[in-house]
Amino acid sequence: MKQNIEHKARILGTGTWISLGSPIVTEVISMMQFDWLLFDLEHGFMQEHDILPNLMAVKSSGTKVIVRVSEFRSGLIARLLDWGVAGIMMPHVSSSEEAARVVGAMRYPPFGKRGFSSSSRSFGYGENAPRNITEWEPPLFIAQIENYEGVQNANSIAATEGVDMLFVGPRDLRLDLSVRKSADERIPFQEAISLTVKAAISSGKQAGILVSPEEDISDLCVMGFSAFAIGADLAVLRSGYKRIKV
């Protein structure tokens, strides 16, 4: 059964990576007019218990918070969504089956297996609980493409009901392609991201990528990328201090 959602209303634009776990840092960043913030539970210093105070620190109600989990844990995914995050990013998605499993953990029956609580923070502690589950807008799901298998299966992953975006993890994807034993699997990085973008667009989904603040994204825009995570809190902090002459 499909849950029909107007995809245009779910588009993400410019975001940034947050991994330090400091609510003060998150509060300051949230004042910078980003469309979305990525809280990173895969790498960095943010822990599960840091998510809620960092969510509360986000100033703008229009800023969407996405959490990247480190692995598939249905209970954790449901709890993060109950706390009020706008979506989930899953790293190293290699198949449509993996993508569908995450979607199932994010959505309520009959569209998934997530447990329902009307008093969760995501529903205003009971004030905004949906009367009809078919009118509820499900959270965003961003599937990261970070290996050869993910690139090869990008079309079926993008076509999976509930996937909103294919997001290239450039460092992991470069690494994976470079260490492949078979020469046929060591495809050029640019070819890999081109295949990923085309797969996303062909299914009417977004393509996203992580870039540095200094990077020229014009070629990426021409290629079809429409969502960008620009920099990370730790890197921006470090580069800012490096510019100070002591």
Side-chain angles (χ1 to χ4, degrees), residues 1-39:
M1 181 182 295
K2 291 188 176 182
Q3 189 166 8
N4 295 319
I5 297 298
E6 184 65 28
H7 187 73
K8 291 185 293 184
R10 298 166 62 80
I11 288 177
L12 297 179
T14 302
T16 193
W17 229 253
I18 296 179
S19 63
L20 290 176
S22 164
I24 296 173
V25 173
T26 295
E27 183 178 26
V28 172
I29 294 172
S30 74
M31 297 166 67
M32 300 298 137
Q33 306 304 310
F34 286 105
D35 298 318
W36 57 286
L37 306 175
L38 191 287
F39 290 0

PDB file of all heavy atoms in Angstrom, residues 1-39:
ATOM      1  N   MET A   1       0.839  -1.187   0.000  1.00  0.00           N
ATOM      2  CA  MET A   1       0.000   0.000   0.000  1.00  0.00           C
ATOM      3  C   MET A   1       0.878   1.242   0.000  1.00  0.00           C
ATOM      4  O   MET A   1       1.824   1.336   0.782  1.00  0.00           O
ATOM      5  CB  MET A   1      -0.895   0.006   1.243  1.00  0.00           C
ATOM      6  CG  MET A   1      -1.827   1.219   1.314  1.00  0.00           C
ATOM      7  SD  MET A   1      -2.823   1.199   2.816  1.00  0.00           S
ATOM      8  CE  MET A   1      -3.817  -0.263   2.539  1.00  0.00           C
ATOM      9  N   LYS A   2       0.583   2.175  -0.850  1.00  0.00           N
ATOM     10  CA  LYS A   2       1.379   3.392  -0.945  1.00  0.00           C
ATOM     11  C   LYS A   2       0.708   4.524  -0.170  1.00  0.00           C
ATOM     12  O   LYS A   2      -0.509   4.627  -0.110  1.00  0.00           O
ATOM     13  CB  LYS A   2       1.568   3.810  -2.406  1.00  0.00           C
ATOM     14  CG  LYS A   2       2.469   2.869  -3.194  1.00  0.00           C
ATOM     15  CD  LYS A   2       2.760   3.448  -4.557  1.00  0.00           C
ATOM     16  CE  LYS A   2       3.741   2.560  -5.317  1.00  0.00           C
ATOM     17  NZ  LYS A   2       4.073   3.145  -6.639  1.00  0.00           N
ATOM     18  N   GLN A   3       1.553   5.375   0.408  1.00  0.00           N
ATOM     19  CA  GLN A   3       1.068   6.559   1.083  1.00  0.00           C
ATOM     20  C   GLN A   3       1.437   7.752   0.217  1.00  0.00           C
ATOM     21  O   GLN A   3       2.610   8.076   0.037  1.00  0.00           O
ATOM     22  CB  GLN A   3       1.704   6.691   2.461  1.00  0.00           C
ATOM     23  CG  GLN A   3       1.084   7.780   3.316  1.00  0.00           C
ATOM     24  CD  GLN A   3       1.502   7.653   4.762  1.00  0.00           C
ATOM     25  OE1 GLN A   3       2.348   6.857   5.096  1.00  0.00           O
ATOM     26  NE2 GLN A   3       0.898   8.444   5.632  1.00  0.00           N
ATOM     27  N   ASN A   4       0.456   8.383  -0.383  1.00  0.00           N
ATOM     28  CA  ASN A   4       0.720   9.449  -1.343  1.00  0.00           C
ATOM     29  C   ASN A   4       1.059  10.753  -0.641  1.00  0.00           C
ATOM     30  O   ASN A   4       0.251  11.309   0.099  1.00  0.00           O
ATOM     31  CB  ASN A   4      -0.500   9.655  -2.244  1.00  0.00           C
ATOM     32  CG  ASN A   4      -0.758   8.441  -3.114  1.00  0.00           C
ATOM     33  OD1 ASN A   4       0.179   7.848  -3.636  1.00  0.00           O
ATOM     34  ND2 ASN A   4      -2.013   8.065  -3.263  1.00  0.00           N
ATOM     35  N   ILE A   5       2.293  11.241  -0.884  1.00  0.00           N
ATOM     36  CA  ILE A   5       2.758  12.479  -0.290  1.00  0.00           C
ATOM     37  C   ILE A   5       3.215  13.394  -1.408  1.00  0.00           C
ATOM     38  O   ILE A   5       3.895  12.963  -2.340  1.00  0.00           O
ATOM     39  CB  ILE A   5       3.941  12.222   0.674  1.00  0.00           C
ATOM     40  CG1 ILE A   5       3.484  11.334   1.844  1.00  0.00           C
ATOM     41  CG2 ILE A   5       4.523  13.525   1.198  1.00  0.00           C
ATOM     42  CD1 ILE A   5       2.409  11.939   2.711  1.00  0.00           C
ATOM     43  N   GLU A   6       2.852  14.672  -1.349  1.00  0.00           N
ATOM     44  CA  GLU A   6       3.287  15.647  -2.344  1.00  0.00           C
ATOM     45  C   GLU A   6       4.781  15.866  -2.185  1.00  0.00           C
ATOM     46  O   GLU A   6       5.238  16.466  -1.223  1.00  0.00           O
ATOM     47  CB  GLU A   6       2.535  16.971  -2.146  1.00  0.00           C
ATOM     48  CG  GLU A   6       2.858  18.017  -3.205  1.00  0.00           C
ATOM     49  CD  GLU A   6       2.402  17.593  -4.585  1.00  0.00           C
ATOM     50  OE1 GLU A   6       1.430  16.829  -4.692  1.00  0.00           O
ATOM     51  OE2 GLU A   6       3.041  18.031  -5.549  1.00  0.00           O
ATOM     52  N   HIS A   7       5.562  15.339  -3.132  1.00  0.00           N
ATOM     53  CA  HIS A   7       7.012  15.341  -2.989  1.00  0.00           C
ATOM     54  C   HIS A   7       7.591  16.748  -3.013  1.00  0.00           C
ATOM     55  O   HIS A   7       8.582  17.023  -2.352  1.00  0.00           O
ATOM     56  CB  HIS A   7       7.644  14.485  -4.093  1.00  0.00           C
ATOM     57  CG  HIS A   7       9.121  14.298  -3.934  1.00  0.00           C
ATOM     58  ND1 HIS A   7       9.657  13.482  -2.966  1.00  0.00           N
ATOM     59  CD2 HIS A   7      10.177  14.848  -4.598  1.00  0.00           C
ATOM     60  CE1 HIS A   7      10.984  13.512  -3.053  1.00  0.00           C
ATOM     61  NE2 HIS A   7      11.319  14.331  -4.021  1.00  0.00           N
ATOM     62  N   LYS A   8       6.986  17.676  -3.750  1.00  0.00           N
ATOM     63  CA  LYS A   8       7.533  19.013  -3.876  1.00  0.00           C
ATOM     64  C   LYS A   8       7.649  19.701  -2.515  1.00  0.00           C
ATOM     65  O   LYS A   8       8.549  20.505  -2.296  1.00  0.00           O
ATOM     66  CB  LYS A   8       6.675  19.846  -4.826  1.00  0.00           C
ATOM     67  CG  LYS A   8       6.750  19.418  -6.277  1.00  0.00           C
ATOM     68  CD  LYS A   8       5.974  20.358  -7.163  1.00  0.00           C
ATOM     69  CE  LYS A   8       4.482  20.274  -6.899  1.00  0.00           C
ATOM     70  NZ  LYS A   8       3.702  21.119  -7.837  1.00  0.00           N
ATOM     71  N   ALA A   9       6.734  19.388  -1.602  1.00  0.00           N
ATOM     72  CA  ALA A   9       6.739  20.036  -0.293  1.00  0.00           C
ATOM     73  C   ALA A   9       7.826  19.474   0.616  1.00  0.00           C
ATOM     74  O   ALA A   9       8.051  19.996   1.695  1.00  0.00           O
ATOM     75  CB  ALA A   9       5.376  19.860   0.373  1.00  0.00           C
ATOM     76  N   ARG A  10       8.518  18.416   0.176  1.00  0.00           N
ATOM     77  CA  ARG A  10       9.479  17.732   1.028  1.00  0.00           C
ATOM     78  C   ARG A  10      10.920  17.980   0.587  1.00  0.00           C
ATOM     79  O   ARG A  10      11.836  17.321   1.046  1.00  0.00           O
ATOM     80  CB  ARG A  10       9.165  16.239   1.019  1.00  0.00           C
ATOM     81  CG  ARG A  10       7.790  15.922   1.577  1.00  0.00           C
ATOM     82  CD  ARG A  10       7.338  14.513   1.277  1.00  0.00           C
ATOM     83  NE  ARG A  10       8.195  13.506   1.852  1.00  0.00           N
ATOM     84  CZ  ARG A  10       8.161  13.116   3.117  1.00  0.00           C
ATOM     85  NH1 ARG A  10       7.338  13.707   3.955  1.00  0.00           N
ATOM     86  NH2 ARG A  10       8.950  12.170   3.555  1.00  0.00           N
ATOM     87  N   ILE A  11      11.132  18.924  -0.297  1.00  0.00           N
ATOM     88  CA  ILE A  11      12.465  19.167  -0.831  1.00  0.00           C
ATOM     89  C   ILE A  11      13.346  19.860   0.203  1.00  0.00           C
ATOM     90  O   ILE A  11      12.944  20.809   0.862  1.00  0.00           O
ATOM     91  CB  ILE A  11      12.386  20.010  -2.116  1.00  0.00           C
ATOM     92  CG1 ILE A  11      11.822  19.152  -3.255  1.00  0.00           C
ATOM     93  CG2 ILE A  11      13.741  20.577  -2.504  1.00  0.00           C
ATOM     94  CD1 ILE A  11      11.634  19.891  -4.557  1.00  0.00           C
ATOM     95  N   LEU A  12      14.572  19.366   0.349  1.00  0.00           N
ATOM     96  CA  LEU A  12      15.570  19.983   1.206  1.00  0.00           C
ATOM     97  C   LEU A  12      16.555  20.762   0.341  1.00  0.00           C
ATOM     98  O   LEU A  12      16.876  20.348  -0.771  1.00  0.00           O
ATOM     99  CB  LEU A  12      16.327  18.929   2.006  1.00  0.00           C
ATOM    100  CG  LEU A  12      15.517  18.102   2.999  1.00  0.00           C
ATOM    101  CD1 LEU A  12      16.419  17.081   3.688  1.00  0.00           C
ATOM    102  CD2 LEU A  12      14.837  18.981   4.032  1.00  0.00           C
ATOM    103  N   GLY A  13      17.053  21.870   0.849  1.00  0.00           N
ATOM    104  CA  GLY A  13      18.001  22.687   0.109  1.00  0.00           C
ATOM    105  C   GLY A  13      19.390  22.630   0.711  1.00  0.00           C
ATOM    106  O   GLY A  13      20.088  21.627   0.607  1.00  0.00           O
ATOM    107  N   THR A  14      19.786  23.690   1.396  1.00  0.00           N
ATOM    108  CA  THR A  14      21.134  23.788   1.952  1.00  0.00           C
ATOM    109  C   THR A  14      21.127  23.475   3.442  1.00  0.00           C
ATOM    110  O   THR A  14      20.366  24.060   4.211  1.00  0.00           O
ATOM    111  CB  THR A  14      21.690  25.214   1.742  1.00  0.00           C
ATOM    112  OG1 THR A  14      21.681  25.513   0.352  1.00  0.00           O
ATOM    113  CG2 THR A  14      23.118  25.297   2.259  1.00  0.00           C
ATOM    114  N   GLY A  15      21.999  22.567   3.825  1.00  0.00           N
ATOM    115  CA  GLY A  15      22.110  22.188   5.226  1.00  0.00           C
ATOM    116  C   GLY A  15      23.554  22.171   5.675  1.00  0.00           C
ATOM    117  O   GLY A  15      24.459  22.596   4.950  1.00  0.00           O
ATOM    118  N   THR A  16      23.776  21.675   6.874  1.00  0.00           N
ATOM    119  CA  THR A  16      25.142  21.526   7.385  1.00  0.00           C
ATOM    120  C   THR A  16      25.180  20.395   8.399  1.00  0.00           C
ATOM    121  O   THR A  16      24.147  19.973   8.919  1.00  0.00           O
ATOM    122  CB  THR A  16      25.638  22.849   8.018  1.00  0.00           C
ATOM    123  OG1 THR A  16      27.051  22.775   8.222  1.00  0.00           O
ATOM    124  CG2 THR A  16      24.948  23.134   9.341  1.00  0.00           C
ATOM    125  N   TRP A  17      26.385  19.918   8.656  1.00  0.00           N
ATOM    126  CA  TRP A  17      26.624  18.752   9.509  1.00  0.00           C
ATOM    127  C   TRP A  17      26.909  19.188  10.943  1.00  0.00           C
ATOM    128  O   TRP A  17      27.710  20.101  11.171  1.00  0.00           O
ATOM    129  CB  TRP A  17      27.839  18.003   8.985  1.00  0.00           C
ATOM    130  CG  TRP A  17      27.701  16.537   8.804  1.00  0.00           C
ATOM    131  CD1 TRP A  17      28.265  15.569   9.581  1.00  0.00           C
ATOM    132  CD2 TRP A  17      27.008  15.847   7.760  1.00  0.00           C
ATOM    133  NE1 TRP A  17      27.949  14.323   9.086  1.00  0.00           N
ATOM    134  CE2 TRP A  17      27.177  14.468   7.972  1.00  0.00           C
ATOM    135  CE3 TRP A  17      26.248  16.274   6.677  1.00  0.00           C
ATOM    136  CZ2 TRP A  17      26.631  13.510   7.127  1.00  0.00           C
ATOM    137  CZ3 TRP A  17      25.696  15.327   5.840  1.00  0.00           C
ATOM    138  CH2 TRP A  17      25.883  13.963   6.070  1.00  0.00           C
ATOM    139  N   ILE A  18      26.292  18.542  11.913  1.00  0.00           N
ATOM    140  CA  ILE A  18      26.546  18.830  13.326  1.00  0.00           C
ATOM    141  C   ILE A  18      26.938  17.540  14.029  1.00  0.00           C
ATOM    142  O   ILE A  18      26.179  16.574  14.042  1.00  0.00           O
ATOM    143  CB  ILE A  18      25.310  19.456  13.990  1.00  0.00           C
ATOM    144  CG1 ILE A  18      25.015  20.818  13.354  1.00  0.00           C
ATOM    145  CG2 ILE A  18      25.514  19.594  15.494  1.00  0.00           C
ATOM    146  CD1 ILE A  18      23.796  21.517  13.924  1.00  0.00           C
ATOM    147  N   SER A  19      28.141  17.542  14.623  1.00  0.00           N
ATOM    148  CA  SER A  19      28.632  16.315  15.257  1.00  0.00           C
ATOM    149  C   SER A  19      29.193  16.539  16.653  1.00  0.00           C
ATOM    150  O   SER A  19      29.525  15.574  17.343  1.00  0.00           O
ATOM    151  CB  SER A  19      29.718  15.673  14.383  1.00  0.00           C
ATOM    152  OG  SER A  19      30.838  16.544  14.261  1.00  0.00           O
ATOM    153  N   LEU A  20      29.319  17.793  17.094  1.00  0.00           N
ATOM    154  CA  LEU A  20      29.922  18.067  18.401  1.00  0.00           C
ATOM    155  C   LEU A  20      28.991  17.715  19.558  1.00  0.00           C
ATOM    156  O   LEU A  20      29.448  17.332  20.638  1.00  0.00           O
ATOM    157  CB  LEU A  20      30.331  19.534  18.491  1.00  0.00           C
ATOM    158  CG  LEU A  20      31.520  19.951  17.618  1.00  0.00           C
ATOM    159  CD1 LEU A  20      31.767  21.447  17.731  1.00  0.00           C
ATOM    160  CD2 LEU A  20      32.765  19.181  18.008  1.00  0.00           C
ATOM    161  N   GLY A  21      27.697  17.882  19.369  1.00  0.00           N
ATOM    162  CA  GLY A  21      26.747  17.543  20.423  1.00  0.00           C
ATOM    163  C   GLY A  21      26.489  18.644  21.420  1.00  0.00           C
ATOM    164  O   GLY A  21      25.792  18.434  22.414  1.00  0.00           O
ATOM    165  N   SER A  22      27.027  19.852  21.185  1.00  0.00           N
ATOM    166  CA  SER A  22      26.812  20.976  22.100  1.00  0.00           C
ATOM    167  C   SER A  22      25.546  21.725  21.712  1.00  0.00           C
ATOM    168  O   SER A  22      25.460  22.269  20.608  1.00  0.00           O
ATOM    169  CB  SER A  22      28.005  21.940  22.050  1.00  0.00           C
ATOM    170  OG  SER A  22      27.673  23.182  22.634  1.00  0.00           O
ATOM    171  N   PRO A  23      24.552  21.819  22.612  1.00  0.00           N
ATOM    172  CA  PRO A  23      23.343  22.584  22.289  1.00  0.00           C
ATOM    173  C   PRO A  23      23.633  24.049  21.981  1.00  0.00           C
ATOM    174  O   PRO A  23      22.914  24.666  21.193  1.00  0.00           O
ATOM    175  CB  PRO A  23      22.488  22.444  23.559  1.00  0.00           C
ATOM    176  CG  PRO A  23      22.955  21.172  24.185  1.00  0.00           C
ATOM    177  CD  PRO A  23      24.430  21.123  23.904  1.00  0.00           C
ATOM    178  N   ILE A  24      24.680  24.606  22.600  1.00  0.00           N
ATOM    179  CA  ILE A  24      25.017  26.002  22.331  1.00  0.00           C
ATOM    180  C   ILE A  24      25.488  26.166  20.896  1.00  0.00           C
ATOM    181  O   ILE A  24      25.067  27.085  20.183  1.00  0.00           O
ATOM    182  CB  ILE A  24      26.099  26.503  23.319  1.00  0.00           C
ATOM    183  CG1 ILE A  24      25.541  26.490  24.735  1.00  0.00           C
ATOM    184  CG2 ILE A  24      26.560  27.910  22.941  1.00  0.00           C
ATOM    185  CD1 ILE A  24      26.564  26.809  25.804  1.00  0.00           C
ATOM    186  N   VAL A  25      26.376  25.263  20.448  1.00  0.00           N
ATOM    187  CA  VAL A  25      26.850  25.306  19.061  1.00  0.00           C
ATOM    188  C   VAL A  25      25.673  25.110  18.110  1.00  0.00           C
ATOM    189  O   VAL A  25      25.529  25.833  17.117  1.00  0.00           O
ATOM    190  CB  VAL A  25      27.936  24.240  18.823  1.00  0.00           C
ATOM    191  CG1 VAL A  25      28.299  24.157  17.342  1.00  0.00           C
ATOM    192  CG2 VAL A  25      29.176  24.557  19.642  1.00  0.00           C
ATOM    193  N   THR A  26      24.815  24.156  18.412  1.00  0.00           N
ATOM    194  CA  THR A  26      23.647  23.895  17.566  1.00  0.00           C
ATOM    195  C   THR A  26      22.730  25.110  17.512  1.00  0.00           C
ATOM    196  O   THR A  26      22.211  25.468  16.445  1.00  0.00           O
ATOM    197  CB  THR A  26      22.870  22.677  18.093  1.00  0.00           C
ATOM    198  OG1 THR A  26      23.696  21.508  17.972  1.00  0.00           O
ATOM    199  CG2 THR A  26      21.585  22.452  17.305  1.00  0.00           C
ATOM    200  N   GLU A  27      22.531  25.773  18.646  1.00  0.00           N
ATOM    201  CA  GLU A  27      21.672  26.958  18.687  1.00  0.00           C
ATOM    202  C   GLU A  27      22.220  28.056  17.781  1.00  0.00           C
ATOM    203  O   GLU A  27      21.468  28.682  17.021  1.00  0.00           O
ATOM    204  CB  GLU A  27      21.551  27.463  20.115  1.00  0.00           C
ATOM    205  CG  GLU A  27      20.611  28.654  20.258  1.00  0.00           C
ATOM    206  CD  GLU A  27      20.467  29.107  21.698  1.00  0.00           C
ATOM    207  OE1 GLU A  27      21.399  28.888  22.508  1.00  0.00           O
ATOM    208  OE2 GLU A  27      19.421  29.695  22.017  1.00  0.00           O
ATOM    209  N   VAL A  28      23.527  28.287  17.866  1.00  0.00           N
ATOM    210  CA  VAL A  28      24.147  29.317  17.027  1.00  0.00           C
ATOM    211  C   VAL A  28      23.997  28.972  15.548  1.00  0.00           C
ATOM    212  O   VAL A  28      23.619  29.810  14.726  1.00  0.00           O
ATOM    213  CB  VAL A  28      25.630  29.498  17.398  1.00  0.00           C
ATOM    214  CG1 VAL A  28      26.321  30.426  16.402  1.00  0.00           C
ATOM    215  CG2 VAL A  28      25.779  30.044  18.808  1.00  0.00           C
ATOM    216  N   ILE A  29      24.282  27.719  15.200  1.00  0.00           N
ATOM    217  CA  ILE A  29      24.175  27.301  13.796  1.00  0.00           C
ATOM    218  C   ILE A  29      22.748  27.418  13.297  1.00  0.00           C
ATOM    219  O   ILE A  29      22.501  27.800  12.149  1.00  0.00           O
ATOM    220  CB  ILE A  29      24.697  25.857  13.632  1.00  0.00           C
ATOM    221  CG1 ILE A  29      26.197  25.799  13.925  1.00  0.00           C
ATOM    222  CG2 ILE A  29      24.425  25.335  12.224  1.00  0.00           C
ATOM    223  CD1 ILE A  29      26.759  24.395  13.969  1.00  0.00           C
ATOM    224  N   SER A  30      21.783  27.105  14.160  1.00  0.00           N
ATOM    225  CA  SER A  30      20.378  27.142  13.743  1.00  0.00           C
ATOM    226  C   SER A  30      19.902  28.557  13.446  1.00  0.00           C
ATOM    227  O   SER A  30      18.841  28.740  12.846  1.00  0.00           O
ATOM    228  CB  SER A  30      19.496  26.508  14.812  1.00  0.00           C
ATOM    229  OG  SER A  30      19.344  27.356  15.939  1.00  0.00           O
ATOM    230  N   MET A  31      20.680  29.551  13.840  1.00  0.00           N
ATOM    231  CA  MET A  31      20.333  30.947  13.571  1.00  0.00           C
ATOM    232  C   MET A  31      20.870  31.412  12.219  1.00  0.00           C
ATOM    233  O   MET A  31      20.663  32.566  11.827  1.00  0.00           O
ATOM    234  CB  MET A  31      20.886  31.841  14.680  1.00  0.00           C
ATOM    235  CG  MET A  31      20.279  31.540  16.051  1.00  0.00           C
ATOM    236  SD  MET A  31      21.196  32.278  17.437  1.00  0.00           S
ATOM    237  CE  MET A  31      20.907  34.017  17.139  1.00  0.00           C
ATOM    238  N   MET A  32      21.534  30.519  11.495  1.00  0.00           N
ATOM    239  CA  MET A  32      22.202  30.876  10.239  1.00  0.00           C
ATOM    240  C   MET A  32      21.357  30.598   8.996  1.00  0.00           C
ATOM    241  O   MET A  32      21.871  30.576   7.888  1.00  0.00           O
ATOM    242  CB  MET A  32      23.533  30.126  10.130  1.00  0.00           C
ATOM    243  CG  MET A  32      24.492  30.442  11.262  1.00  0.00           C
ATOM    244  SD  MET A  32      24.953  32.175  11.298  1.00  0.00           S
ATOM    245  CE  MET A  32      24.854  32.523  13.045  1.00  0.00           C
ATOM    246  N   GLN A  33      20.083  30.319   9.161  1.00  0.00           N
ATOM    247  CA  GLN A  33      19.135  30.190   8.048  1.00  0.00           C
ATOM    248  C   GLN A  33      19.366  28.970   7.158  1.00  0.00           C
ATOM    249  O   GLN A  33      19.041  28.986   5.968  1.00  0.00           O
ATOM    250  CB  GLN A  33      19.140  31.459   7.177  1.00  0.00           C
ATOM    251  CG  GLN A  33      18.886  32.755   7.931  1.00  0.00           C
ATOM    252  CD  GLN A  33      17.572  32.732   8.712  1.00  0.00           C
ATOM    253  OE1 GLN A  33      16.544  32.387   8.160  1.00  0.00           O
ATOM    254  NE2 GLN A  33      17.625  33.094   9.983  1.00  0.00           N
ATOM    255  N   PHE A  34      19.938  27.905   7.701  1.00  0.00           N
ATOM    256  CA  PHE A  34      20.018  26.662   6.937  1.00  0.00           C
ATOM    257  C   PHE A  34      18.627  26.046   6.820  1.00  0.00           C
ATOM    258  O   PHE A  34      17.806  26.153   7.728  1.00  0.00           O
ATOM    259  CB  PHE A  34      20.957  25.661   7.623  1.00  0.00           C
ATOM    260  CG  PHE A  34      22.420  25.987   7.489  1.00  0.00           C
ATOM    261  CD1 PHE A  34      23.134  26.503   8.556  1.00  0.00           C
ATOM    262  CD2 PHE A  34      23.078  25.777   6.283  1.00  0.00           C
ATOM    263  CE1 PHE A  34      24.480  26.804   8.430  1.00  0.00           C
ATOM    264  CE2 PHE A  34      24.419  26.072   6.144  1.00  0.00           C
ATOM    265  CZ  PHE A  34      25.129  26.592   7.222  1.00  0.00           C
ATOM    266  N   ASP A  35      18.386  25.367   5.706  1.00  0.00           N
ATOM    267  CA  ASP A  35      17.112  24.670   5.522  1.00  0.00           C
ATOM    268  C   ASP A  35      17.027  23.436   6.413  1.00  0.00           C
ATOM    269  O   ASP A  35      15.951  23.053   6.864  1.00  0.00           O
ATOM    270  CB  ASP A  35      16.943  24.220   4.065  1.00  0.00           C
ATOM    271  CG  ASP A  35      16.921  25.391   3.103  1.00  0.00           C
ATOM    272  OD1 ASP A  35      16.269  26.404   3.425  1.00  0.00           O
ATOM    273  OD2 ASP A  35      17.552  25.302   2.032  1.00  0.00           O
ATOM    274  N   TRP A  36      18.184  22.807   6.636  1.00  0.00           N
ATOM    275  CA  TRP A  36      18.189  21.586   7.433  1.00  0.00           C
ATOM    276  C   TRP A  36      19.535  21.409   8.135  1.00  0.00           C
ATOM    277  O   TRP A  36      20.563  21.947   7.703  1.00  0.00           O
ATOM    278  CB  TRP A  36      17.863  20.365   6.579  1.00  0.00           C
ATOM    279  CG  TRP A  36      18.774  20.125   5.391  1.00  0.00           C
ATOM    280  CD1 TRP A  36      18.790  20.837   4.216  1.00  0.00           C
ATOM    281  CD2 TRP A  36      19.769  19.115   5.260  1.00  0.00           C
ATOM    282  NE1 TRP A  36      19.741  20.333   3.368  1.00  0.00           N
ATOM    283  CE2 TRP A  36      20.358  19.270   3.970  1.00  0.00           C
ATOM    284  CE3 TRP A  36      20.218  18.094   6.080  1.00  0.00           C
ATOM    285  CZ2 TRP A  36      21.369  18.434   3.500  1.00  0.00           C
ATOM    286  CZ3 TRP A  36      21.231  17.257   5.615  1.00  0.00           C
ATOM    287  CH2 TRP A  36      21.791  17.428   4.351  1.00  0.00           C
ATOM    288  N   LEU A  37      19.489  20.678   9.231  1.00  0.00           N
ATOM    289  CA  LEU A  37      20.679  20.355  10.002  1.00  0.00           C
ATOM    290  C   LEU A  37      20.772  18.843  10.116  1.00  0.00           C
ATOM    291  O   LEU A  37      19.758  18.162  10.299  1.00  0.00           O
ATOM    292  CB  LEU A  37      20.596  20.964  11.409  1.00  0.00           C
ATOM    293  CG  LEU A  37      20.327  22.471  11.502  1.00  0.00           C
ATOM    294  CD1 LEU A  37      20.165  22.877  12.974  1.00  0.00           C
ATOM    295  CD2 LEU A  37      21.441  23.267  10.844  1.00  0.00           C
ATOM    296  N   LEU A  38      21.983  18.326  10.016  1.00  0.00           N
ATOM    297  CA  LEU A  38      22.207  16.886  10.135  1.00  0.00           C
ATOM    298  C   LEU A  38      22.903  16.602  11.458  1.00  0.00           C
ATOM    299  O   LEU A  38      24.043  17.024  11.669  1.00  0.00           O
ATOM    300  CB  LEU A  38      23.044  16.386   8.952  1.00  0.00           C
ATOM    301  CG  LEU A  38      23.209  14.872   8.719  1.00  0.00           C
ATOM    302  CD1 LEU A  38      24.142  14.217   9.738  1.00  0.00           C
ATOM    303  CD2 LEU A  38      21.883  14.156   8.699  1.00  0.00           C
ATOM    304  N   PHE A  39      22.219  15.930  12.367  1.00  0.00           N
ATOM    305  CA  PHE A  39      22.833  15.473  13.616  1.00  0.00           C
ATOM    306  C   PHE A  39      23.437  14.092  13.352  1.00  0.00           C
ATOM    307  O   PHE A  39      22.734  13.161  12.949  1.00  0.00           O
ATOM    308  CB  PHE A  39      21.790  15.350  14.730  1.00  0.00           C
ATOM    309  CG  PHE A  39      21.240  16.664  15.225  1.00  0.00           C
ATOM    310  CD1 PHE A  39      21.649  17.875  14.704  1.00  0.00           C
ATOM    311  CD2 PHE A  39      20.298  16.671  16.248  1.00  0.00           C
ATOM    312  CE1 PHE A  39      21.138  19.079  15.170  1.00  0.00           C
ATOM    313  CE2 PHE A  39      19.777  17.867  16.731  1.00  0.00           C
ATOM    314  CZ  PHE A  39      20.192  19.072  16.188  1.00  0.00           C
TER     315      PHE A  39
END
